Amino acid sequence: GAGVSQTPSNKVTEKGKYVELRCDPISGHTALYWYRQSLGQGPEFLIYFQGTGAADDSGLPNDRFFAVRPEGSVSTLKIQRTERGDSAVYLCASSLTGLAGRRELFFGEGSRLTVL
Amino acid sequence: QQQVKQSPQSLIVQKGGISIINCAYENTAFDYFPWYQQFPGKGPALLIAIRPDVSEKKEGRFTISFNKSAKQFSLHIMDSQPGDSATYFCAASRGGGSNYKLTFGKGTLLTVNP
């Protein structure tokens, strides 16, 4: 597809369960970001990948959150032992790098996670 | 510590009016200031951006005004249209390397009445 694709669009789970959210970035984009957006708030940075490696994971709230990008394209955000406070929209974004002027992040439509 | 503060939280404007949204930042290492537009159920999309070496940037009906000394910047939407009704986020990022990590404000819900 032309844009960033995220699946599932909606996920309802029970407290304590494990969840995986998938992101398929724009083809050719080497940089990939995960953000979390709570209701009525701006997106909050979680983690940044350059290629296969997590170059900046300073936004991950605790060790229940983990993300991978094994082949430098698709990424999976993994949340263990989910808590009700994890309920939010998880946004993925990708970008080209090395452009002098434009640091544009292209966002997907997000995965809405609800923890009951 | 909120590094980017945005106001107002919500804004109602009549069609044809001017919408103004303000942001203030704290970190002087920020060197790129974009505005993102988000419609319900969609991801944010880049609207317009500015660097601190200019005081104003205009693209169509959208203008960013930037005040480096005050560490403030604002979005002006001229001739506001009902289709502009959305949530607007200001953001900031630091230079250096390929990490374009953005720090967002809390957003402004704009409603343009017909």
Side-chain angles (χ1 to χ4, degrees):
Chain A
V4 176
S5 176
Q6 292 189 245
T7 55
S9 56
N10 272 289
K11 176 71 176 178
V12 180
T13 191
E14 293 179 344
K15 180 176 180 291
K17 298 291 188 182
Y18 170 80
V19 166
E20 288 190 353
L21 307 175
R22 175 191 166 104
C23 173
D24 197 345
I26 293 173
S27 178
H29 283 194
T30 57
L32 185 145
Y33 305 78
W34 283 99
Y35 282 80
R36 178 167 69 176
Q37 186 173 24
S38 300
L39 192 63
Q41 302 294 315
E44 293 179 295
F45 170 79
L46 294 176
I47 188 169
Y48 156 67
F49 286 89
Q50 181 58 244
T52 60
D56 181 356
D57 64 357
S58 61
L60 294 178
N62 52 59
D63 61 5
R64 296 186 297 105
F65 288 76
F66 190 70
V68 296
R69 195 185 185 198
E71 297 178 356
S73 179
V74 171
S75 176
T76 304
L77 178 66
K78 307 181 181 194
I79 310 174
Q80 297 178 323
R81 305 182 304 280
T82 52
E83 299 178 356
R84 292 192 181 87
D86 299 335
S87 296
V89 175
Y90 289 82
L91 293 166
C92 177
S94 68
S95 73
L96 291 168
T97 57
L99 300 178
R102 196 168 175 87
R103 302 180 199 169
E104 182 171 2
L105 268 59
F106 295 84
F107 283 87
E109 295 190 347
S111 292
R112 180 178 298 278
L113 175 66
T114 303
V115 182
L116 302 177
Chain B
Q1 180 189 9
Q2 189 183 351
Q3 293 199 59
V4 179
K5 295 182 180 180
Q6 183 172 347
S7 63
Q9 198 170 7
S10 63
L11 181 62
I12 300 174
V13 173
Q14 291 300 116
K15 179 182 175 182
I18 302 173
S19 303
I20 301 174
I21 305 171
N22 301 298
C23 274
Y25 64 97
E26 298 175 1
N27 189 342
T28 56
F30 288 143
D31 69 345
Y32 179 76
F33 302 89
W35 286 88
Y36 276 74
Q37 180 187 56
Q38 185 176 31
F39 293 103
K42 304 294 185 182
L46 179 64
L47 189 62
I48 186 173
I50 197 168
R51 291 183 180 276
D53 53 347
V54 297
S55 61
E56 186 175 284
K57 183 173 182 181
K58 183 176 181 179
E59 291 184 359
R61 297 185 294 109
F62 301 92
T63 300
I64 300 179
S65 297
F66 188 86
N67 185 330
K68 187 175 181 178
S69 60
K71 294 188 287 185
Q72 295 176 347
F73 59 109
S74 61
L75 175 69
H76 296 233
I77 305 174
M78 311 300 288
D79 187 26
S80 298
Q81 298 297 311
D84 297 330
S85 297
T87 301
Y88 292 81
F89 295 96
C90 61
S93 74
R94 298 174 57 170
S98 56
N99 186 351
Y100 299 163
K101 175 172 69 176
L102 291 169
T103 299
F104 284 89
K106 291 190 173 184
T108 296
L109 178 61
L110 172 65
T111 302
V112 181
N113 288 328

